[in-house]
Amino acid sequence: ETPAPTTPAPGAAETARQDAVADALAIAELATAAAADPGSAALAERPELAEVLLAVAATSSRHAEELGGVYTPWTATPTPAPDTSTSSPTTSAPTPGAQDVIDALEQARQRAADDADEAEDGGFARLLASIAASRSVLAADLEARLAGTTLALPTTEEATSGTSADAGPTSSGVQDSALLGLVEAHDALGAAWEVLAARAEDDERARAALVASEHRSTAQALAAALGAAGTDLDPRRTAYALPAELLDPEGDALAGLLPLETRLGVRLAGLVAQADPGSRAALVSALEENAHLLLVLTGAPQALPGVDEDAAPDATSDQPADAGTTTSP
């Protein structure tokens, strides 16, 4: 006499989660199929693309796992499988190619970024923002490899891969102390990139100087928006402790820069979790831009930028373990 239980309707958060999982699994399937296409002209010309596509599939599968996987609702009466024995024949779809995977990544990135901005739960917003950043760099990496080009730092301000100058102040719910920490992080990175520019030559020097300028400008914009610029609250210093590798003319400058940029990504992802729903767009964009910069520096897309602690050793510390001091100009 008791009526059969009904499947609960998913709320906005669960719908966003399920959509993100569906996107991840669809991308993994597309990338796997594209990597196995024997008739692909792109794969024939660049066999290494197959490995890149399989890496995209593996990363997307991990995204689905991190999101909790596919939800299978419990029902009192199992739904019988449809009878397809009399179905009319259908035309098989063409095998997807690398460009199809790029398009799917870009579309899914936008959905994840939008859902990250609106999510009620901060932790879920942080994960979605990281997945959006990952899809963005996966698409950029695959597109560059498909075109046979090499990703490099920009040489013009219009194409700068630095972080967004308005990231943070427009995000309500974030404490001023956290934003002041972001000011200091950007200013310190500006100093670090200036050291790298001083060690480099020609185009490499110009690119490093441009990234340094972007970090400095972001720090200034943040400080001004917070009303801290030129006051006792301004956290910027005249000198910063920087990694020894960066200051040593014989050292590996990249080994010194990477932890600093990676820690910035972790900080930005944390701010996404703190910010109120509807005010995270600038922070999500800044996290994506940081992930792109790391992609250029390392040549390897991160699976979960700002979230994957394995990719960010010592990410919770703002001070390098072995550092020297450099003075800001």
Side-chain angles (χ1 to χ4, degrees):
E1 295 180 0
T2 303
T6 58
T7 303
E14 176 59 14
T15 298
R17 190 198 70 80
Q18 291 182 22
D19 288 346
V21 170
D23 281 340
L25 294 178
I27 292 168
E29 184 177 354
L30 273 176
T32 301
D37 181 12
S40 170
L43 290 179
E45 184 179 352
R46 297 186 179 84
E48 68 277 5
L49 272 179
E51 184 177 346
V52 177
L53 287 164
L54 291 176
V56 171
T59 299
S60 296
S61 295
R62 181 180 174 189
H63 290 166
E65 292 175 3
E66 295 288 343
L67 287 161
V70 177
Y71 169 67
T72 303
W74 178 88
T75 56
T77 304
T79 303
D83 182 7
T84 58
S85 59
T86 59
S87 301
S88 58
T90 57
T91 304
S92 59
T95 304
Q99 187 59 52
D100 297 309
V101 178
I102 293 171
D103 293 342
L105 282 165
E106 291 176 342
Q107 292 167 9
R109 180 213 67 81
Q110 187 61 59
R111 283 191 290 270
D114 292 342
D115 288 341
D117 185 30
E118 298 295 336
E120 291 294 331
D121 180 77
F124 182 50
R126 175 175 177 259
L127 177 58
L128 283 176
S130 178
I131 289 173
S134 176
R135 288 170 176 167
S136 182
V137 294
L138 285 172
D141 182 54
L142 182 55
E143 189 169 22
R145 292 176 186 271
L146 182 61
T149 59
T150 302
L151 291 170
L153 295 175
T155 55
T156 62
E157 291 199 27
E158 290 77 12
T160 297
S161 296
T163 47
S164 175
D166 62 353
T170 58
S171 301
S172 58
V174 179
Q175 296 181 353
D176 285 355
S177 59
L179 293 175
L180 288 172
L182 189 60
V183 170
E184 185 177 9
H186 275 295
D187 200 55
L189 271 164
W193 279 95
E194 285 165 359
V195 171
L196 180 62
R199 291 177 52 179
E201 298 179 355
D202 302 327
D203 285 348
E204 185 180 350
R205 169 175 289 186
R207 291 187 176 100
L210 185 57
V211 177
S213 176
E214 282 294 304
H215 277 302
R216 294 285 199 184
S217 297
T218 300
Q220 173 60 29
L222 282 165
L226 293 168
T231 72
D232 292 340
L233 295 176
D234 197 331
R236 290 174 290 179
R237 312 175 192 172
T238 56
Y240 291 95
L242 297 178
E245 299 94 336
L246 195 59
L247 301 177
D248 183 0
E250 304 299 325
D252 183 355
L254 187 60
L257 268 176
L258 278 178
L260 299 179
E261 287 289 353
T262 303
R263 282 196 289 270
L264 177 63
V266 174
R267 185 188 290 274
L268 288 167
L271 293 178
V272 169
Q274 293 179 29
D276 291 335
S279 67
R280 303 187 181 106
L283 289 168
V284 175
S285 177
L287 180 60
E288 290 182 4
E289 291 169 356
N290 175 260
H292 275 267
L293 182 56
L294 289 171
L295 171 62
V296 173
L297 292 177
T298 65
Q302 286 184 309
L304 290 171
V307 173
D308 194 346
E309 299 294 340
D310 292 338
D314 214 14
T316 57
S317 171
D318 284 328
Q319 293 297 328
D322 183 15
T325 301
T326 184
T327 301
S328 301

